[in-house]
Amino acid sequence: MSGGLAGMRPAVRAAVEFTPAAGTRERIVDITTTGRRSGRPSRIEIFFYRAHGETYLCSGTSGRPTDWYANLLANPDFTLHLKHGVRADLPARAEPVTDSEQRREVLAAIVADLNQPHDPGTIGRTRLDDWLGARLAHVTFP
């Protein structure tokens, strides 16, 4: 089991390793990053995703900059807050996914999950091309 999940309580691990059947609520977390300029904690709500057995944060499909991503580039350590079903504050670390081939593979898996016939994420039909400019970070749990 990768990314530090093995040492987690079973209920917390199950919440992080959600299955493709998970609904929107199970895919929403808060993250607290350290402000790159202010140095102060900054908490936002964000979707998190699973692809190839790993955890990712992804947003900003418009291609515009996002503060959460810029903060993680400056300080990759953050807290992932589970808040639906299981509540837990997990120390985490983000690594930007910049290799174009790896990004395409991960984003294709995310889009395929979101485009399931029963639409568990309720995001609606989406195309891979719409996600290629997204901010994408691989999450591990030390």
Side-chain angles (χ1 to χ4, degrees), residues 65-81:
T66 57
D67 287 338
W68 70 267
Y69 188 76
N71 289 347
L72 290 175
L73 289 176
N75 184 352
D77 295 318
F78 71 102
T79 303
L80 186 138
H81 307 278

Side-chain angles (χ1 to χ4, degrees), residues 27-35 40-49 55-59 66-73 75-83 88-94 135-141:
R27 297 164 184 260
I28 298 174
V29 295
D30 286 352
I31 61 171
T32 299
T33 60
T34 300
R40 292 190 309 248
S42 176
R43 185 169 175 153
I44 64 159
E45 184 176 78
I46 189 170
F47 280 92
F48 78 120
Y49 301 92
T55 305
Y56 294 89
L57 295 174
C58 182
S59 75
T66 57
D67 287 338
W68 70 267
Y69 188 76
N71 289 347
L72 290 175
L73 289 176
N75 184 352
D77 295 318
F78 71 102
T79 303
L80 186 138
H81 307 278
L82 296 173
K83 59 185 190 171
D89 300 323
L90 307 173
R93 185 167 184 84
R135 308 302 177 260
L136 180 64
H138 178 241
V139 176
T140 56
F141 303 94

Side-chain angles (χ1 to χ4, degrees), residues 53-118:
E54 299 290 331
T55 305
Y56 294 89
L57 295 174
C58 182
S59 75
T61 57
S62 67
R64 290 191 302 263
T66 57
D67 287 338
W68 70 267
Y69 188 76
N71 289 347
L72 290 175
L73 289 176
N75 184 352
D77 295 318
F78 71 102
T79 303
L80 186 138
H81 307 278
L82 296 173
K83 59 185 190 171
H84 298 291
V86 172
R87 293 195 179 272
D89 300 323
L90 307 173
R93 185 167 184 84
E95 180 180 340
V97 180
T98 57
D99 176 79
S100 59
E101 200 169 306
Q102 182 185 12
R103 285 178 55 77
R104 183 174 276 280
E105 279 183 27
V106 170
L107 292 168
I110 289 171
V111 168
D113 180 38
L114 295 173
N115 284 338
Q116 293 177 69
H118 64 285

Side-chain angles (χ1 to χ4, degrees), residues 24 111 114-116 119-127 131:
T24 299
V111 168
L114 295 173
N115 284 338
Q116 293 177 69
D119 192 20
T122 64
I123 290 176
R125 298 291 297 168
T126 187
R127 300 173 324 125
W131 286 68

